[in-house]
Amino acid sequence: MNKKILVIGGTRFFGKILVQGLLARGHHVTLATRGNAPLAFAEGEQLSHIRVDRGDRNAMHQAFKDCAGFDVIYDQVCYHPHDAHIACEVFAEKVKRYVMTSTIEVYADHYPTHTAAANEDLIDLQRVAIDIDSAWRDAAFAEANYGLAKRQAEAYFAQHAAFAFVSVRSAHVYAQNDEFTGRFAHYKNRAQQGTGFEYSEGLGKTSFISASNLADFLLWIGEQDFVGPINAAANGTFSALDLYRMAGGDGAKCKSSHTAQQPTLLSPFDYAHDYLMSTARAHHFGYIFQENQLALEAVLGGPV
């Protein structure tokens, strides 16, 4: 059955792939963006576009006051509890199912004490303290408190939403194209330079997922009826040294460094202990994730 879908964000990375999938399935999609980035899709009978700053409470109320509502909302850009507060107000009677894209970083406070793969119930969202009045609109503050902000956003929905809510806690996302963070390019550049590569002695592994796999999982989530947090991570975990070697780095030139329990990252995804997520809940509901190995090799340049 065709549905009315709102995607808040959705102009780049896995968001674009999600929108493509929704359109391919025949859904009517409304994109809500600030309008700063060009749309990858033509507006028409199946796709409409609302220009709005999702962090502006008054603008959000004005933009959606006359809409009949949506079957599913995918919120790709809910970064902190103030965003969640606005969404709970604006969409209180206008959505059946709300899917927020969250992150592995909500578990950051449990690392490195908790080194087993994190289950969703490691965080009790009903007990998370929420402060919607912090300086969340300050980009530097929000970036410095990214994991905390996302955790409080999830908690705000869990404690206040009048609609069915799911938070998708994504592992570290990669893509062969459209990877805008530069984190994987770091490894390519270091390997090409052929210089020594420092890494934490613990060789902690972490969880990853491709942009296409995450988009597929989000599509699947929109068709389910369970609620609450759910982890999204593809099969196969890797350390910083694994990534360096995938990029063609010479292991003999690597040297161990920084054995402190909570080190400053020597490179992206460098951890002294494993920093992993369990996907048992997704498997319980019937979703099987893809494998990371070949896809990551394609992004980084070659096999380990």
Side-chain angles (χ1 to χ4, degrees):
M1 181 180 72
N2 294 347
K3 296 180 179 179
K4 293 180 64 177
I5 311 286
L6 172 65
V7 179
I8 305 174
T11 59
R12 64 179 182 179
F13 212 26
F14 58 86
K16 286 198 303 186
I17 306 173
L18 169 64
V19 174
Q20 288 172 342
L22 291 169
L23 294 173
R25 296 184 184 200
H27 301 308
H28 182 275
V29 179
T30 300
L31 283 177
T33 78
R34 290 174 297 176
N36 295 338
L39 295 184
F41 315 95
E43 293 184 61
E45 184 176 338
Q46 199 181 346
L47 179 77
S48 55
H49 182 210
I50 295 175
R51 290 168 177 80
V52 63
D53 178 354
R54 66 97 66 251
D56 185 324
R57 179 175 177 271
N58 291 334
M60 286 286 285
H61 276 285
Q62 183 65 26
F64 293 102
K65 66 182 178 66
D66 295 326
C67 79
F70 302 95
D71 295 297
V72 182
I73 294 177
Y74 288 99
D75 194 341
Q76 305 286 79
V77 289
C78 182
Y79 293 122
H80 46 70
H82 188 261
D83 286 343
H85 170 67
I86 293 171
C88 284
E89 279 192 355
V90 172
F91 301 112
E93 298 179 357
K94 293 181 180 292
V95 63
K96 297 176 183 176
R97 186 167 178 77
Y98 200 103
V99 182
M100 170 195 162
T101 303
S102 190
T103 171
I104 187 176
E105 299 303 335
V106 300
Y107 297 114
D109 281 1
H110 297 274
Y111 165 86
T113 305
H114 186 94
T115 56
N119 290 310
E120 292 84 353
D121 59 7
L122 186 61
I123 299 171
D124 183 351
L125 292 175
Q126 296 299 327
R127 297 176 65 87
V128 171
I130 301 167
D131 179 7
I132 65 171
D133 296 321
S134 288
W136 300 118
R137 295 282 280 172
D138 179 81
F141 178 83
E143 178 66 23
N145 295 278
Y146 181 66
L148 173 65
K150 282 285 196 177
R151 187 165 60 250
Q152 288 194 22
E154 286 190 40
Y156 194 94
F157 281 115
Q159 295 175 27
H160 298 284
F163 40 74
F165 170 69
V166 181
S167 53
V168 178
R169 294 172 179 167
S170 170
H172 306 293
V173 186
Y174 62 88
Q176 192 152 11
N177 300 305
D178 202 25
E179 206 292 299
F180 60 92
T181 68
R183 294 178 297 178
F184 294 93
H186 168 90
Y187 291 96
K188 286 185 178 182
N189 294 338
R190 291 303 299 251
Q192 289 170 0
Q193 292 165 6
T195 56
F197 179 72
E198 293 187 338
Y199 57 90
S200 293
E201 189 172 50
L203 286 176
K205 294 181 182 291
T206 192
S207 301
F208 295 90
I209 190 169
S210 71
S212 59
N213 195 176
L214 180 54
D216 182 75
F217 186 58
L218 289 167
L219 284 168
W220 178 80
I221 290 286
E223 297 171 350
Q224 309 307 307
D225 57 9
F226 62 81
V227 297
I230 191 162
N231 293 337
N235 299 317
T237 60
F238 303 90
S239 68
L241 181 57
D242 291 333
L243 299 180
Y244 180 66
R245 287 175 169 166
M246 279 186 184
D250 183 354
K253 293 182 180 179
C254 299
K255 57 183 179 180
S256 171
S257 178
H258 236 294
T259 59
Q261 280 216 319
Q262 290 183 300
T264 300
L265 294 187
L266 300 172
S267 61
F269 319 117
D270 174 90
Y271 301 102
H273 301 278
D274 287 348
Y275 185 29
L276 309 170
M277 294 194 301
S278 167
T279 55
R281 188 167 195 241
H283 293 166
H284 169 76
F285 287 119
Y287 189 88
I288 304 300
F289 288 98
Q290 299 169 7
E291 299 293 328
N292 272 319
Q293 182 80 37
L294 293 178
L296 260 176
E297 287 176 0
V299 170
L300 288 164
V304 174

